[in-house]
Amino acid sequence: THPDLHPQIVSPYTCTASNTGPGPDDQSFPNYHGTFVGGITSAVANNGLYGTGVAPMSLLMPIQNDETAYQVIQAIRYAAGLSNSSGTLPARKADVINMSWGTGAACSAAYAEVVAQARAQNVVIVASAGNTTAPKETPPIVASPASCPGVISVGATRIFTDRWKYSAYGPALTLTAPGGDSSGYVYSTTYDFATRSPSFRSWNGTSFSSPHVAGVIALMRYVAPSLTVAQVDTLIATGRLTDDLGVPGRDDDFGQGLINARKSVDEAYALASGGSIPGAVVPLPASINFGSGLSSTTLKLALTASSSETVSSIVASSPAITIKAAVSVDTVTKIGDYTISVDRKLLPAGFSCPVLTVKTSARTFTVPLSVTKLSASTCPAATLGAVWVRATNLATNSTYMQRVDVSGG
């Protein structure tokens, strides 16, 4: 009911274990985190109240969920116009999904799958990189689902365009946006419980960096409705949507740099006016997290569009990393799939951040890697704790929940 948001609301949904159906956002969250996030992207302009969102013409589809993996996946599927547990779909699928939350670091197979399915629907997914508890956390960790391949993971900058000291950082970081701190906060829509009325307040964190980027993507799709996920990927990878910060090129503190709304809209408008994005060699995924168990994975070097750019070399910064070209790799352009493997015996215990340096006929870029080597003393015990199991009878739509305490070997 906030006057800065109410005109923008479409297809709201509540997706929780206890209540699945149409409903308002954030009714169970006492600080109205989602309302604040929604105001950053979409608060209406020129109504004489509060503030204006990054994309004040954009519509909001608020989805409340329990933030369990199952409910998050169903919420993403609903927003992307995919079949989901509710059996319903929004009147129009989302163009952009913003997720201002995260937990852990490794992207689960289930999250990776639903992200890929949403991207196949041409939905851009943006997520906050996460807030750390230390100014320079070691090892650097970007939260999941922001760490998932295909997700634009967003860190936070201060008003001085340096990194907010509690912003998550690392190989999985895509770019940064304003997040604020005590020297200059982000302001947006909220609710005053004391007066029972809509309000406006300040806050800071990567939760509020992410909707800045989601709003910029909305602006881009407003001027270029046919803009594709692949085109957005290319524009980010080639630094055409950002201002470079930190060391030249991509780095773990700022990713590709600070989002620039004017550059972004200009690029989208050029495409909508008949322009094209020059093809470029890009790594898929943009970073690789081996975690503590993965030994090898596939890196694809692919052209985003027709181009004469070719791959000259791929070099690892550590002897623990080996690179093997698949038989599908073109012998002339060197474009294709590569198997990237790690030998942990050649690494010290703890966290390592080797990189792959890719030189092409046009430029040089890096693919950050992260590897964890556990010592015997740090191996985690195989204890899961409380596990909730949900079963649904599709014929009667009845749902059953059971808590199981799992512990031991």
Side-chain angles (χ1 to χ4, degrees):
T1 59
H2 198 293
D4 261 5
L5 301 181
H6 182 70
Q8 320 291 66
I9 302 294
V10 292
S11 302
Y13 206 80
T14 299
C15 180
T16 67
S18 59
N19 178 25
T20 300
D25 177 41
D26 283 329
Q27 293 302 312
S28 62
F29 199 3
N31 57 18
Y32 273 60
H33 181 271
T35 301
F36 193 94
V37 168
I40 294 172
T41 61
S42 308
V44 296
N46 303 319
N47 64 353
L49 298 170
Y50 307 110
T52 299
V54 173
M57 81 298 292
S58 61
L59 300 176
L60 279 173
M61 184 192 301
I63 302 176
Q64 179 182 333
N65 67 80
D66 290 337
E67 293 188 12
T68 64
Y70 177 81
Q71 296 297 346
V72 167
I73 289 168
Q74 297 309 310
I76 293 172
R77 293 186 64 85
Y78 174 82
L82 296 165
S83 60
N84 58 84
S85 60
S86 73
T88 63
L89 296 173
R92 170 184 163 185
K93 71 176 178 65
D95 289 302
V96 189
I97 292 175
N98 179 78
M99 294 185 286
S100 286
W101 59 272
T103 182
C107 175
S108 69
Y111 278 169
E113 181 181 14
V114 76
V115 166
Q117 291 170 341
R119 282 171 55 89
Q121 293 285 94
N122 206 29
V123 178
V124 179
I125 301 183
V126 185
S128 55
N131 302 334
T132 67
T133 56
K136 199 70 173 180
E137 196 169 53
T138 302
I141 293 174
V142 168
S144 175
S147 60
C148 292
V151 176
I152 300 173
S153 59
V154 187
T157 57
R158 302 194 309 150
I159 194 171
F160 308 107
T161 68
D162 55 344
R163 172 181 165 270
W164 179 49
K165 64 181 180 180
Y166 296 116
S167 173
Y169 67 103
L173 186 69
T174 307
L175 44 73
T176 55
D181 73 343
S182 57
S183 61
Y185 290 100
V186 175
Y187 282 78
S188 188
T189 48
T190 187
Y191 188 82
D192 189 331
F193 282 90
T195 61
R196 301 284 179 178
S197 61
S199 187
F200 199 64
R201 63 164 286 184
S202 62
W203 222 335
N204 63 299
T206 61
S207 280
F208 317 121
S209 304
S210 181
H212 277 88
V213 175
V216 169
I217 300 297
L219 290 174
M220 295 174 69
R221 284 200 151 164
Y222 184 71
V223 299
S226 61
L227 184 72
T228 68
V229 170
Q231 288 173 324
V232 173
D233 291 344
T234 304
L235 290 168
I236 291 174
T238 53
R240 294 170 68 169
L241 305 186
T242 51
D243 294 331
D244 193 23
L245 296 177
V247 299
R250 193 215 164 272
D251 60 74
D252 286 355
D253 281 339
F254 300 100
Q256 294 288 355
L258 179 68
I259 191 72
N260 182 313
R262 178 56 187 263
K263 280 185 181 179
S264 301
V265 173
D266 283 349
E267 292 284 356
Y269 185 74
L271 287 172
S273 302
S276 62
I277 303 173
V281 176
V282 296
L284 302 172
S287 62
I288 297 173
N289 182 0
F290 285 97
S292 59
L294 187 66
S295 296
S296 67
T297 189
T298 298
L299 172 73
K300 180 185 288 292
L301 295 179
L303 278 176
T304 58
S306 178
S307 171
S308 60
E309 188 175 12
T310 60
V311 176
S312 303
S313 64
I314 312 175
V315 179
S317 64
S318 167
I321 305 298
T322 57
I323 306 161
K324 183 178 180 181
V327 294
S328 60
V329 171
D330 187 278
T331 56
V332 177
T333 65
K334 305 298 184 185
I335 290 172
D337 293 347
Y338 291 80
T339 300
I340 312 300
S341 304
V342 59
D343 184 352
R344 287 181 174 79
K345 294 192 298 290
L346 301 178
L347 292 173
F351 186 82
S352 300
C353 298
V355 298
L356 302 177
T357 300
V358 181
K359 290 186 177 181
T360 76
S361 55
R363 69 196 206 284
T364 300
F365 60 85
T366 60
V367 180
L369 313 177
S370 56
V371 186
T372 301
K373 179 180 178 180
L374 299 176
S375 64
S377 61
T378 60
C379 287
T383 300
L384 297 180
V387 175
W388 284 94
V389 179
R390 168 181 169 139
T392 302
N393 184 325
L394 296 180
T396 63
N397 203 31
S398 301
T399 297
Y400 308 89
M401 294 288 291
Q402 167 108 26
R403 174 173 167 153
V404 180
D405 290 304
V406 182
S407 61

